[in-house]
Amino acid sequence: MPNDVQYLLLVVSIVLLSAGQITQKLAARKLRSSEGAIAAVTSLLRNAWFWVSGSLLALAMVTWLLTLSQFEVSKAYPMLAASFVLTAIASRILLQEQIGRTQWAGIALITTGVALMLQTAG
Amino acid sequence: MSARAAGTFLTLSILLSSVAQILFRLAMQHLSLTGDDPVSVVAGLVSNDAVTELAPLAIGVVCYVVSMLCWIFALVRFKVSVAYPFISISYVIVYAAAVLLPVLNESITWRSLLGIGFIVAGVCLLARQGRQNSGKAIS
């Protein structure tokens, strides 16, 4: 399998994970903190976003497992933080959350860190 | 949900996801994707040794799913901006475990240590602004 495929697996995992996180947030939003554990579980199971999120994360897990056949976990796992960058940008667009100066600095640090990890992971 | 219960869910989520990642790598480290044909990759996965590879995979999946549920319950109480920095703790746990466990025996490099430092700092910064600015608590 060509070398590009291992990076493609990593990128697809990151994108699916971000989509999973956004929909997970949408699922969590519908839960009320006053609910007991059983009521919370039943309301989760009737929540469509929970299932969308679950499917995306299940798919992400398959591509992630394949990614782990290619990279050391100590180097690959922290690179999943790139999904926070995608999630922050998607949250700004879809959930109207703000990205401040400090957050942009965080995005720059994560991107630098991922670039450093890539250089030892390949 | 009390802050203490949510904190327990958060801690469980971080520990279980760390264990899951170690088990996943344990299961996948010998899988070869060298055949271009996806069928042979799947065949390779299925023919893996049951005890040393399929068992860690199955236990890892269970840990991962339970960790995801714990995470959702933690999010009922905590804002994403508060909860996220805790995820970066699991990067450090997994790195240390992968390097220390003889069965994985992964390498320590200055570049990857620096990379982890940047990523952990970045995740904390990315979360901090949200905590200061956003009045949108979920709880």
PDB file of all heavy atoms in Angstrom, chain B residues 33-66:
ATOM      1  N   LEU B  33      -0.562  -3.548   5.897  1.00  0.00           N
ATOM      2  CA  LEU B  33      -1.457  -3.047   4.841  1.00  0.00           C
ATOM      3  C   LEU B  33      -0.718  -3.061   3.507  1.00  0.00           C
ATOM      4  O   LEU B  33      -1.062  -2.335   2.586  1.00  0.00           O
ATOM      5  CB  LEU B  33      -1.934  -1.626   5.160  1.00  0.00           C
ATOM      6  CG  LEU B  33      -2.806  -1.437   6.395  1.00  0.00           C
ATOM      7  CD1 LEU B  33      -3.260   0.011   6.493  1.00  0.00           C
ATOM      8  CD2 LEU B  33      -4.014  -2.347   6.358  1.00  0.00           C
ATOM      9  N   THR B  34       0.320  -3.891   3.421  1.00  0.00           N
ATOM     10  CA  THR B  34       1.174  -3.824   2.226  1.00  0.00           C
ATOM     11  C   THR B  34       0.482  -4.330   0.973  1.00  0.00           C
ATOM     12  O   THR B  34       0.807  -3.901  -0.116  1.00  0.00           O
ATOM     13  CB  THR B  34       2.491  -4.596   2.441  1.00  0.00           C
ATOM     14  OG1 THR B  34       2.175  -5.830   3.082  1.00  0.00           O
ATOM     15  CG2 THR B  34       3.458  -3.790   3.277  1.00  0.00           C
ATOM     16  N   GLY B  35      -0.499  -5.266   1.135  1.00  0.00           N
ATOM     17  CA  GLY B  35      -1.243  -5.688  -0.043  1.00  0.00           C
ATOM     18  C   GLY B  35      -2.160  -4.558  -0.484  1.00  0.00           C
ATOM     19  O   GLY B  35      -2.823  -3.953   0.349  1.00  0.00           O
ATOM     20  N   ASP B  36      -2.179  -4.233  -1.774  1.00  0.00           N
ATOM     21  CA  ASP B  36      -2.997  -3.125  -2.254  1.00  0.00           C
ATOM     22  C   ASP B  36      -4.480  -3.468  -2.176  1.00  0.00           C
ATOM     23  O   ASP B  36      -5.332  -2.600  -2.174  1.00  0.00           O
ATOM     24  CB  ASP B  36      -2.635  -2.788  -3.707  1.00  0.00           C
ATOM     25  CG  ASP B  36      -1.559  -1.719  -3.746  1.00  0.00           C
ATOM     26  OD1 ASP B  36      -1.680  -0.754  -2.980  1.00  0.00           O
ATOM     27  OD2 ASP B  36      -0.613  -1.876  -4.524  1.00  0.00           O
ATOM     28  N   ASP B  37      -4.744  -4.750  -2.101  1.00  0.00           N
ATOM     29  CA  ASP B  37      -6.096  -5.236  -2.210  1.00  0.00           C
ATOM     30  C   ASP B  37      -6.752  -5.270  -0.819  1.00  0.00           C
ATOM     31  O   ASP B  37      -6.246  -5.907   0.103  1.00  0.00           O
ATOM     32  CB  ASP B  37      -5.949  -6.621  -2.873  1.00  0.00           C
ATOM     33  CG  ASP B  37      -7.083  -7.558  -2.591  1.00  0.00           C
ATOM     34  OD1 ASP B  37      -8.200  -7.076  -2.366  1.00  0.00           O
ATOM     35  OD2 ASP B  37      -6.824  -8.771  -2.606  1.00  0.00           O
ATOM     36  N   PRO B  38      -7.853  -4.520  -0.639  1.00  0.00           N
ATOM     37  CA  PRO B  38      -8.494  -4.420   0.681  1.00  0.00           C
ATOM     38  C   PRO B  38      -8.933  -5.781   1.219  1.00  0.00           C
ATOM     39  O   PRO B  38      -8.938  -5.998   2.433  1.00  0.00           O
ATOM     40  CB  PRO B  38      -9.721  -3.541   0.431  1.00  0.00           C
ATOM     41  CG  PRO B  38      -9.512  -2.920  -0.888  1.00  0.00           C
ATOM     42  CD  PRO B  38      -8.566  -3.753  -1.664  1.00  0.00           C
ATOM     43  N   VAL B  39      -9.311  -6.699   0.317  1.00  0.00           N
ATOM     44  CA  VAL B  39      -9.772  -8.023   0.747  1.00  0.00           C
ATOM     45  C   VAL B  39      -8.671  -8.746   1.515  1.00  0.00           C
ATOM     46  O   VAL B  39      -8.913  -9.359   2.553  1.00  0.00           O
ATOM     47  CB  VAL B  39     -10.235  -8.873  -0.466  1.00  0.00           C
ATOM     48  CG1 VAL B  39     -10.630 -10.277  -0.009  1.00  0.00           C
ATOM     49  CG2 VAL B  39     -11.404  -8.185  -1.161  1.00  0.00           C
ATOM     50  N   SER B  40      -7.434  -8.613   1.043  1.00  0.00           N
ATOM     51  CA  SER B  40      -6.339  -9.311   1.715  1.00  0.00           C
ATOM     52  C   SER B  40      -6.033  -8.669   3.065  1.00  0.00           C
ATOM     53  O   SER B  40      -5.579  -9.327   3.988  1.00  0.00           O
ATOM     54  CB  SER B  40      -5.089  -9.329   0.832  1.00  0.00           C
ATOM     55  OG  SER B  40      -4.564  -8.028   0.699  1.00  0.00           O
ATOM     56  N   VAL B  41      -6.312  -7.359   3.176  1.00  0.00           N
ATOM     57  CA  VAL B  41      -6.125  -6.684   4.462  1.00  0.00           C
ATOM     58  C   VAL B  41      -7.120  -7.223   5.480  1.00  0.00           C
ATOM     59  O   VAL B  41      -6.769  -7.562   6.606  1.00  0.00           O
ATOM     60  CB  VAL B  41      -6.291  -5.142   4.315  1.00  0.00           C
ATOM     61  CG1 VAL B  41      -6.291  -4.480   5.679  1.00  0.00           C
ATOM     62  CG2 VAL B  41      -5.177  -4.583   3.443  1.00  0.00           C
ATOM     63  N   VAL B  42      -8.392  -7.345   5.054  1.00  0.00           N
ATOM     64  CA  VAL B  42      -9.433  -7.873   5.933  1.00  0.00           C
ATOM     65  C   VAL B  42      -9.118  -9.320   6.297  1.00  0.00           C
ATOM     66  O   VAL B  42      -9.226  -9.725   7.459  1.00  0.00           O
ATOM     67  CB  VAL B  42     -10.827  -7.772   5.266  1.00  0.00           C
ATOM     68  CG1 VAL B  42     -11.880  -8.473   6.122  1.00  0.00           C
ATOM     69  CG2 VAL B  42     -11.202  -6.307   5.051  1.00  0.00           C
ATOM     70  N   ALA B  43      -8.663 -10.097   5.301  1.00  0.00           N
ATOM     71  CA  ALA B  43      -8.290 -11.488   5.539  1.00  0.00           C
ATOM     72  C   ALA B  43      -7.170 -11.557   6.575  1.00  0.00           C
ATOM     73  O   ALA B  43      -7.184 -12.397   7.472  1.00  0.00           O
ATOM     74  CB  ALA B  43      -7.863 -12.160   4.247  1.00  0.00           C
ATOM     75  N   GLY B  44      -6.240 -10.625   6.465  1.00  0.00           N
ATOM     76  CA  GLY B  44      -5.121 -10.576   7.406  1.00  0.00           C
ATOM     77  C   GLY B  44      -5.605 -10.287   8.816  1.00  0.00           C
ATOM     78  O   GLY B  44      -5.118 -10.856   9.782  1.00  0.00           O
ATOM     79  N   LEU B  45      -6.612  -9.403   8.902  1.00  0.00           N
ATOM     80  CA  LEU B  45      -7.166  -9.027  10.205  1.00  0.00           C
ATOM     81  C   LEU B  45      -7.858 -10.223  10.857  1.00  0.00           C
ATOM     82  O   LEU B  45      -7.676 -10.505  12.030  1.00  0.00           O
ATOM     83  CB  LEU B  45      -8.147  -7.867  10.027  1.00  0.00           C
ATOM     84  CG  LEU B  45      -8.644  -7.158  11.275  1.00  0.00           C
ATOM     85  CD1 LEU B  45      -7.485  -6.573  12.052  1.00  0.00           C
ATOM     86  CD2 LEU B  45      -9.608  -6.052  10.899  1.00  0.00           C
ATOM     87  N   VAL B  46      -8.654 -10.937  10.032  1.00  0.00           N
ATOM     88  CA  VAL B  46      -9.427 -12.065  10.548  1.00  0.00           C
ATOM     89  C   VAL B  46      -8.506 -13.215  10.962  1.00  0.00           C
ATOM     90  O   VAL B  46      -8.757 -13.905  11.956  1.00  0.00           O
ATOM     91  CB  VAL B  46     -10.462 -12.533   9.496  1.00  0.00           C
ATOM     92  CG1 VAL B  46     -11.136 -13.824   9.941  1.00  0.00           C
ATOM     93  CG2 VAL B  46     -11.491 -11.439   9.280  1.00  0.00           C
ATOM     94  N   SER B  47      -7.406 -13.398  10.225  1.00  0.00           N
ATOM     95  CA  SER B  47      -6.521 -14.518  10.528  1.00  0.00           C
ATOM     96  C   SER B  47      -5.551 -14.208  11.670  1.00  0.00           C
ATOM     97  O   SER B  47      -4.727 -15.035  12.022  1.00  0.00           O
ATOM     98  CB  SER B  47      -5.735 -14.917   9.283  1.00  0.00           C
ATOM     99  OG  SER B  47      -4.827 -13.893   8.965  1.00  0.00           O
ATOM    100  N   ASN B  48      -5.666 -13.002  12.234  1.00  0.00           N
ATOM    101  CA  ASN B  48      -4.803 -12.648  13.366  1.00  0.00           C
ATOM    102  C   ASN B  48      -4.978 -13.616  14.525  1.00  0.00           C
ATOM    103  O   ASN B  48      -6.053 -14.172  14.716  1.00  0.00           O
ATOM    104  CB  ASN B  48      -5.134 -11.229  13.868  1.00  0.00           C
ATOM    105  CG  ASN B  48      -4.347 -10.177  13.121  1.00  0.00           C
ATOM    106  OD1 ASN B  48      -3.406 -10.493  12.403  1.00  0.00           O
ATOM    107  ND2 ASN B  48      -4.734  -8.936  13.293  1.00  0.00           N
ATOM    108  N   ASP B  49      -3.928 -13.772  15.264  1.00  0.00           N
ATOM    109  CA  ASP B  49      -3.967 -14.666  16.406  1.00  0.00           C
ATOM    110  C   ASP B  49      -4.991 -14.176  17.430  1.00  0.00           C
ATOM    111  O   ASP B  49      -4.960 -13.029  17.868  1.00  0.00           O
ATOM    112  CB  ASP B  49      -2.580 -14.731  17.043  1.00  0.00           C
ATOM    113  CG  ASP B  49      -2.553 -15.676  18.214  1.00  0.00           C
ATOM    114  OD1 ASP B  49      -2.886 -16.851  18.012  1.00  0.00           O
ATOM    115  OD2 ASP B  49      -2.223 -15.237  19.320  1.00  0.00           O
ATOM    116  N   ALA B  50      -5.936 -15.057  17.780  1.00  0.00           N
ATOM    117  CA  ALA B  50      -7.078 -14.655  18.600  1.00  0.00           C
ATOM    118  C   ALA B  50      -6.674 -14.108  19.965  1.00  0.00           C
ATOM    119  O   ALA B  50      -7.200 -13.092  20.412  1.00  0.00           O
ATOM    120  CB  ALA B  50      -8.034 -15.828  18.760  1.00  0.00           C
ATOM    121  N   VAL B  51      -5.764 -14.767  20.641  1.00  0.00           N
ATOM    122  CA  VAL B  51      -5.440 -14.366  22.009  1.00  0.00           C
ATOM    123  C   VAL B  51      -4.623 -13.076  22.052  1.00  0.00           C
ATOM    124  O   VAL B  51      -4.946 -12.151  22.798  1.00  0.00           O
ATOM    125  CB  VAL B  51      -4.695 -15.500  22.751  1.00  0.00           C
ATOM    126  CG1 VAL B  51      -4.285 -15.041  24.152  1.00  0.00           C
ATOM    127  CG2 VAL B  51      -5.570 -16.738  22.827  1.00  0.00           C
ATOM    128  N   THR B  52      -3.610 -12.989  21.209  1.00  0.00           N
ATOM    129  CA  THR B  52      -2.736 -11.827  21.324  1.00  0.00           C
ATOM    130  C   THR B  52      -3.264 -10.595  20.597  1.00  0.00           C
ATOM    131  O   THR B  52      -2.862  -9.485  20.895  1.00  0.00           O
ATOM    132  CB  THR B  52      -1.317 -12.132  20.809  1.00  0.00           C
ATOM    133  OG1 THR B  52      -1.407 -12.473  19.424  1.00  0.00           O
ATOM    134  CG2 THR B  52      -0.686 -13.255  21.586  1.00  0.00           C
ATOM    135  N   GLU B  53      -4.166 -10.776  19.614  1.00  0.00           N
ATOM    136  CA  GLU B  53      -4.608  -9.608  18.864  1.00  0.00           C
ATOM    137  C   GLU B  53      -6.100  -9.342  18.903  1.00  0.00           C
ATOM    138  O   GLU B  53      -6.519  -8.199  19.065  1.00  0.00           O
ATOM    139  CB  GLU B  53      -4.083  -9.680  17.427  1.00  0.00           C
ATOM    140  CG  GLU B  53      -2.613  -9.287  17.430  1.00  0.00           C
ATOM    141  CD  GLU B  53      -1.834  -9.682  16.191  1.00  0.00           C
ATOM    142  OE1 GLU B  53      -2.467 -10.084  15.203  1.00  0.00           O
ATOM    143  OE2 GLU B  53      -0.602  -9.585  16.236  1.00  0.00           O
ATOM    144  N   LEU B  54      -6.925 -10.375  18.764  1.00  0.00           N
ATOM    145  CA  LEU B  54      -8.367 -10.120  18.763  1.00  0.00           C
ATOM    146  C   LEU B  54      -8.892  -9.800  20.167  1.00  0.00           C
ATOM    147  O   LEU B  54      -9.787  -8.981  20.327  1.00  0.00           O
ATOM    148  CB  LEU B  54      -9.137 -11.281  18.128  1.00  0.00           C
ATOM    149  CG  LEU B  54      -8.911 -11.439  16.614  1.00  0.00           C
ATOM    150  CD1 LEU B  54      -9.753 -12.574  16.054  1.00  0.00           C
ATOM    151  CD2 LEU B  54      -9.212 -10.140  15.864  1.00  0.00           C
ATOM    152  N   ALA B  55      -8.308 -10.432  21.191  1.00  0.00           N
ATOM    153  CA  ALA B  55      -8.745 -10.139  22.566  1.00  0.00           C
ATOM    154  C   ALA B  55      -8.473  -8.675  22.948  1.00  0.00           C
ATOM    155  O   ALA B  55      -9.386  -7.987  23.407  1.00  0.00           O
ATOM    156  CB  ALA B  55      -8.105 -11.107  23.562  1.00  0.00           C
ATOM    157  N   PRO B  56      -7.245  -8.164  22.729  1.00  0.00           N
ATOM    158  CA  PRO B  56      -7.022  -6.743  23.034  1.00  0.00           C
ATOM    159  C   PRO B  56      -7.953  -5.831  22.239  1.00  0.00           C
ATOM    160  O   PRO B  56      -8.423  -4.811  22.759  1.00  0.00           O
ATOM    161  CB  PRO B  56      -5.570  -6.504  22.609  1.00  0.00           C
ATOM    162  CG  PRO B  56      -4.937  -7.820  22.594  1.00  0.00           C
ATOM    163  CD  PRO B  56      -6.000  -8.826  22.318  1.00  0.00           C
ATOM    164  N   LEU B  57      -8.235  -6.221  20.979  1.00  0.00           N
ATOM    165  CA  LEU B  57      -9.128  -5.405  20.145  1.00  0.00           C
ATOM    166  C   LEU B  57     -10.523  -5.348  20.763  1.00  0.00           C
ATOM    167  O   LEU B  57     -11.107  -4.272  20.915  1.00  0.00           O
ATOM    168  CB  LEU B  57      -9.184  -5.988  18.723  1.00  0.00           C
ATOM    169  CG  LEU B  57      -9.983  -5.206  17.695  1.00  0.00           C
ATOM    170  CD1 LEU B  57      -9.397  -3.813  17.504  1.00  0.00           C
ATOM    171  CD2 LEU B  57     -10.015  -5.938  16.359  1.00  0.00           C
ATOM    172  N   ALA B  58     -11.054  -6.524  21.157  1.00  0.00           N
ATOM    173  CA  ALA B  58     -12.402  -6.582  21.726  1.00  0.00           C
ATOM    174  C   ALA B  58     -12.481  -5.818  23.050  1.00  0.00           C
ATOM    175  O   ALA B  58     -13.403  -5.017  23.257  1.00  0.00           O
ATOM    176  CB  ALA B  58     -12.810  -8.046  21.928  1.00  0.00           C
ATOM    177  N   ILE B  59     -11.490  -6.036  23.927  1.00  0.00           N
ATOM    178  CA  ILE B  59     -11.500  -5.334  25.223  1.00  0.00           C
ATOM    179  C   ILE B  59     -11.330  -3.836  24.998  1.00  0.00           C
ATOM    180  O   ILE B  59     -11.972  -3.014  25.648  1.00  0.00           O
ATOM    181  CB  ILE B  59     -10.392  -5.884  26.161  1.00  0.00           C
ATOM    182  CG1 ILE B  59     -10.607  -7.385  26.400  1.00  0.00           C
ATOM    183  CG2 ILE B  59     -10.385  -5.151  27.502  1.00  0.00           C
ATOM    184  CD1 ILE B  59      -9.422  -8.083  27.048  1.00  0.00           C
ATOM    185  N   GLY B  60     -10.475  -3.479  24.026  1.00  0.00           N
ATOM    186  CA  GLY B  60     -10.253  -2.072  23.693  1.00  0.00           C
ATOM    187  C   GLY B  60     -11.531  -1.394  23.221  1.00  0.00           C
ATOM    188  O   GLY B  60     -11.822  -0.260  23.610  1.00  0.00           O
ATOM    189  N   VAL B  61     -12.304  -2.100  22.383  1.00  0.00           N
ATOM    190  CA  VAL B  61     -13.564  -1.533  21.882  1.00  0.00           C
ATOM    191  C   VAL B  61     -14.529  -1.279  23.043  1.00  0.00           C
ATOM    192  O   VAL B  61     -15.160  -0.225  23.125  1.00  0.00           O
ATOM    193  CB  VAL B  61     -14.210  -2.451  20.809  1.00  0.00           C
ATOM    194  CG1 VAL B  61     -15.632  -2.007  20.501  1.00  0.00           C
ATOM    195  CG2 VAL B  61     -13.377  -2.447  19.535  1.00  0.00           C
ATOM    196  N   VAL B  62     -14.609  -2.239  23.969  1.00  0.00           N
ATOM    197  CA  VAL B  62     -15.485  -2.067  25.138  1.00  0.00           C
ATOM    198  C   VAL B  62     -15.041  -0.845  25.956  1.00  0.00           C
ATOM    199  O   VAL B  62     -15.856   0.016  26.311  1.00  0.00           O
ATOM    200  CB  VAL B  62     -15.499  -3.346  26.022  1.00  0.00           C
ATOM    201  CG1 VAL B  62     -16.240  -3.089  27.328  1.00  0.00           C
ATOM    202  CG2 VAL B  62     -16.129  -4.504  25.266  1.00  0.00           C
ATOM    203  N   CYS B  63     -13.733  -0.743  26.226  1.00  0.00           N
ATOM    204  CA  CYS B  63     -13.208   0.411  26.981  1.00  0.00           C
ATOM    205  C   CYS B  63     -13.544   1.720  26.265  1.00  0.00           C
ATOM    206  O   CYS B  63     -13.935   2.706  26.886  1.00  0.00           O
ATOM    207  CB  CYS B  63     -11.684   0.322  27.137  1.00  0.00           C
ATOM    208  SG  CYS B  63     -11.151  -0.974  28.246  1.00  0.00           S
ATOM    209  N   TYR B  64     -13.377   1.709  24.928  1.00  0.00           N
ATOM    210  CA  TYR B  64     -13.627   2.912  24.134  1.00  0.00           C
ATOM    211  C   TYR B  64     -15.093   3.338  24.214  1.00  0.00           C
ATOM    212  O   TYR B  64     -15.398   4.516  24.422  1.00  0.00           O
ATOM    213  CB  TYR B  64     -13.214   2.655  22.679  1.00  0.00           C
ATOM    214  CG  TYR B  64     -13.450   3.814  21.752  1.00  0.00           C
ATOM    215  CD1 TYR B  64     -12.517   4.846  21.643  1.00  0.00           C
ATOM    216  CD2 TYR B  64     -14.608   3.888  20.975  1.00  0.00           C
ATOM    217  CE1 TYR B  64     -12.728   5.912  20.787  1.00  0.00           C
ATOM    218  CE2 TYR B  64     -14.827   4.951  20.116  1.00  0.00           C
ATOM    219  CZ  TYR B  64     -13.883   5.959  20.031  1.00  0.00           C
ATOM    220  OH  TYR B  64     -14.099   7.021  19.185  1.00  0.00           O
ATOM    221  N   VAL B  65     -15.992   2.373  24.062  1.00  0.00           N
ATOM    222  CA  VAL B  65     -17.429   2.682  24.086  1.00  0.00           C
ATOM    223  C   VAL B  65     -17.845   3.198  25.474  1.00  0.00           C
ATOM    224  O   VAL B  65     -18.546   4.211  25.588  1.00  0.00           O
ATOM    225  CB  VAL B  65     -18.271   1.448  23.678  1.00  0.00           C
ATOM    226  CG1 VAL B  65     -19.753   1.683  23.949  1.00  0.00           C
ATOM    227  CG2 VAL B  65     -18.048   1.128  22.203  1.00  0.00           C
ATOM    228  N   VAL B  66     -17.378   2.530  26.531  1.00  0.00           N
ATOM    229  CA  VAL B  66     -17.716   2.974  27.893  1.00  0.00           C
ATOM    230  C   VAL B  66     -17.126   4.371  28.139  1.00  0.00           C
ATOM    231  O   VAL B  66     -17.774   5.241  28.733  1.00  0.00           O
ATOM    232  CB  VAL B  66     -17.211   1.963  28.960  1.00  0.00           C
ATOM    233  CG1 VAL B  66     -17.466   2.488  30.367  1.00  0.00           C
ATOM    234  CG2 VAL B  66     -17.883   0.615  28.775  1.00  0.00           C
TER     235      VAL B  66
END
